[in-house]
Amino acid sequence: MNIPIVAIVGRPNVGKSTLFNRLAGEQLAIVDDIPGTTRDRLFAESEWNGRRFHMIDTGGIDPTTGETTPLSIGSADYVHEIRDQALVAVQEADAILFVVDSTAGVTSSDAEVADLLRSLQKKRDGKNWPPLFLVANKADNKALRDSVVEFYELGLGEPYAISANHGTGTGDLLDALVAAFPAQPEGEEDESVKIAIVGIPNSGKSSLLNKLAGEQRAIVSPIAGTTRDAIDTQITFEDIPVTLIDTAGIRRRGRIDRGVEKYSVIRSMRAIERCDVALLMIDATINISAQDTHIAGFILEAWKSTVVLINKWDAIEKNTFTIEEYKQRIRSALNFMDYVPMLFISAKTGQRVDQVLPEALKVQDQRLVRISTSSLNHILMEAQDMHAPTSRTGRILRIYYGTQVRSDPPTFMLYVNDVKLAHFSYLRYLENQIRKEYPFTGTPIHIVLKGKR
């Protein structure tokens, strides 16, 4: 299922991060009264009326060249990047929340942002422009709510008067937002194994796709993908239907080339949501980047399986210890995914590319493994015998029994005396004990606790 993406945009200091936190239901974005606090986009998942969607919190669009409003310390140097990332978010989103400040009225900056959004509408293929909602924030009293009619002059339709700080009016906004999402498609279930190629720009995703599609003696047929500006490639590998989901093409021409490496997450998000296994490509020549770890984090949050591909290995000068040094470096950066396999490849020369699909399909098989209830409880009992849970309150966690409630991803329900007594570290210990018997290579394990009534 393709989950809609909602971009929250607007000039600095109109309350975008406060709205983001309100809709996300938790304090995820840094909120500051000084404009310019939010530099990079933040991502969160939300749900309303049964529809899930992703939100992107952006830095403020600063359409003027001589912004006089003070920025938070250090952010003035990032004005262009803040603008660029917001533009990328807008061009990739399924809906846009354009936030303005009801206490300030219509400003020249608001008018310029409105013009910018209209110009982008014309550039986005001339069609499928996402619905835009004009959100007049900080309408904390009746007088301010009545005054938002002045925002009609922006020519973007009816303004929604809200207070992100207090939650007033956000329900009506969300009702309209989710109603504007595309209908969830219905049709025949695609039984192919879906493998997404994700990573920062220039990590070699397109080269790998070409190698996999062209050199695996496979039947290749391009089909339209649900990811915007992407083409899925269907192949048959060893009699198994495979859909390759490419996220190449992330780099756009013109003004948003600058610093675009930081903004490659959006399309990766879409591809990851649709895949079974993600091939996370890392450029060996620049080592693992913060953006690589961001993408890896989203793979984990989406409960998808992973194979890490260290590409451009042919360009690295090597000695006896090089590969182990790289492994340790990457394991350290991806310490939250210590179960993933790694392959050192060269999409350019074809080095070890023949191992990529077999490894991905092996990981997919592991994703579908089911453990019998008796085997699982034997593991759990032995784990508790070797290392009993500790307690600071005098009460100790007791696990009565467990069962695997689903695969894809492997999900285990453990029935316990009190959910609140379970510490994260002990759940991680239990996961490691399960993996000793059933490795679930490349696949996250989801452990859910249910307390005694």
Side-chain angles (χ1 to χ4, degrees):
M1 180 176 63
N2 198 27
I3 299 178
I5 293 176
V6 178
I8 303 176
V9 303
R11 63 181 177 82
N13 205 31
V14 293
K16 297 183 300 299
S17 294
T18 305
L19 177 60
F20 178 88
N21 290 333
R22 169 66 61 180
L23 301 187
E26 54 185 315
Q27 196 77 7
L28 296 176
I30 299 171
V31 179
D32 194 323
D33 289 336
I34 303 174
T37 300
T38 304
R39 295 182 191 168
D40 295 325
R41 284 193 307 270
L42 271 173
F43 301 86
E45 184 176 301
S46 189
E47 183 176 342
W48 188 258
N49 289 346
R51 289 299 304 268
R52 292 166 57 206
F53 59 94
H54 291 299
M55 293 182 299
I56 305 168
D57 181 31
T58 71
I61 299 177
D62 178 17
T64 65
T65 56
E67 176 63 57
T68 57
T69 308
L71 295 172
S72 59
I73 296 173
S75 285
D77 296 334
Y78 294 87
V79 166
H80 293 298
E81 290 191 19
I82 290 171
R83 174 190 173 96
D84 292 347
Q85 62 175 310
L87 295 178
V88 175
V90 165
Q91 294 199 354
E92 296 296 337
D94 296 292
I96 299 166
L97 301 182
F98 173 27
V99 185
V100 294
D101 184 348
S102 63
T103 64
V106 179
T107 68
S108 58
S109 293
D110 291 330
E112 291 187 58
V113 172
D115 290 339
L116 175 63
L117 293 173
R118 274 191 290 268
S119 68
L120 285 174
Q121 179 176 2
K122 297 176 183 177
K123 294 179 180 178
R124 187 163 146 170
D125 302 328
K127 58 183 179 180
N128 296 329
W129 174 248
L132 185 148
F133 298 86
L134 179 58
V135 182
N137 190 27
K138 305 184 185 180
D140 297 338
N141 55 52
K142 186 177 185 303
L144 287 171
R145 287 193 291 273
D146 292 341
S147 71
V148 302
V149 293
E150 67 177 294
F151 288 99
Y152 274 104
E153 71 179 73
L154 294 176
L156 296 175
E158 177 185 359
Y160 286 80
I162 72 159
S163 170
N165 194 34
H166 299 105
T168 309
T170 54
D172 292 340
L173 173 63
L174 284 168
D175 285 343
L177 176 65
V178 299
F181 290 155
Q184 294 176 324
E186 297 181 1
E188 295 183 5
E189 187 70 22
D190 183 0
E191 298 295 334
S192 65
V193 178
K194 296 165 192 65
I195 301 175
I197 307 173
V198 300
I200 66 174
N202 297 324
S203 56
K205 298 186 295 297
S206 292
S207 297
L208 178 63
L209 176 68
N210 292 336
K211 288 287 186 183
L212 296 178
E215 297 189 7
Q216 295 293 339
R217 299 179 182 177
I219 301 170
V220 180
S221 61
I223 61 170
T226 56
T227 301
R228 188 175 295 111
D229 298 330
I231 296 293
D232 290 354
T233 302
Q234 286 190 334
I235 66 174
T236 301
F237 179 76
E238 296 181 352
D239 297 326
I240 299 173
V242 173
T243 299
L244 298 175
I245 305 171
D246 183 26
T247 55
I250 191 69
R251 184 180 297 283
R252 290 178 177 272
R253 300 293 181 186
R255 66 180 65 176
I256 53 178
D257 270 354
R258 187 173 55 246
V260 76
E261 283 77 7
K262 295 182 180 179
Y263 317 139
S264 57
V265 172
I266 299 180
R267 289 191 186 173
S268 296
M269 286 171 62
R270 291 184 180 278
I272 290 164
E273 286 290 348
R274 298 170 50 219
C275 79
D276 301 302
V277 180
L279 304 178
L280 175 57
M281 296 198 68
I282 295 172
D283 186 340
T285 64
I286 61 174
N287 209 345
I288 188 165
S289 69
Q291 190 65 359
D292 290 320
T293 60
H294 291 164
I295 296 173
F298 192 82
I299 295 171
L300 177 59
E301 289 173 9
W303 298 102
K304 303 297 184 176
S305 302
T306 314
V307 178
V308 175
L309 304 179
I310 298 88
N311 190 31
K312 305 183 185 179
W313 194 237
D314 58 306
I316 300 298
E317 293 186 14
K318 309 172 191 66
N319 58 38
T320 308
F321 308 103
T322 305
I323 194 165
E324 286 304 319
E325 289 172 353
Y326 265 78
K327 281 183 179 179
Q328 290 178 14
R329 219 174 294 159
I330 292 167
R331 290 286 183 206
S332 176
L334 301 181
N335 57 11
F336 52 90
M337 300 175 75
D338 55 5
Y339 49 82
V340 298
M342 286 188 286
L343 287 176
F344 291 79
I345 70 168
S346 170
K348 180 180 178 181
T349 68
Q351 182 183 17
R352 299 192 188 92
V353 169
D354 61 335
Q355 299 178 28
V356 171
L357 285 181
E359 190 68 32
L361 293 175
K362 186 187 304 180
V363 165
Q364 171 64 4
D365 287 341
Q366 289 283 295
R367 184 177 180 83
L368 301 178
V369 166
R370 295 195 71 95
I371 304 177
S372 69
T373 299
S374 59
S375 297
L376 176 62
N377 283 282
H378 178 71
I379 294 171
L380 294 174
M381 284 189 292
E382 284 198 339
Q384 292 177 91
D385 288 341
M386 288 188 295
H387 176 40
T390 57
S391 172
R392 297 178 182 175
T393 63
R395 297 185 64 213
I396 296 177
L397 175 73
R398 298 188 184 281
I399 303 174
Y400 300 124
Y401 70 97
T403 184
Q404 183 172 355
V405 293
R406 63 168 290 182
S407 57
D408 191 24
T411 304
F412 301 95
M413 178 78 77
L414 306 187
Y415 293 85
V416 301
N417 58 332
D418 189 346
V419 171
K420 295 178 182 178
L421 298 176
H423 192 272
F424 167 79
S425 61
Y426 195 75
L427 296 181
R428 186 66 184 267
Y429 162 73
L430 293 178
E431 177 184 333
N432 290 335
Q433 295 306 115
I434 293 172
R435 288 189 187 277
K436 283 184 179 179
E437 299 292 329
Y438 298 88
F440 290 107
T441 305
T443 296
I445 292 176
H446 195 188
I447 296 180
V448 181
L449 303 181
K450 188 167 185 178
K452 182 180 179 181
R453 292 184 179 179

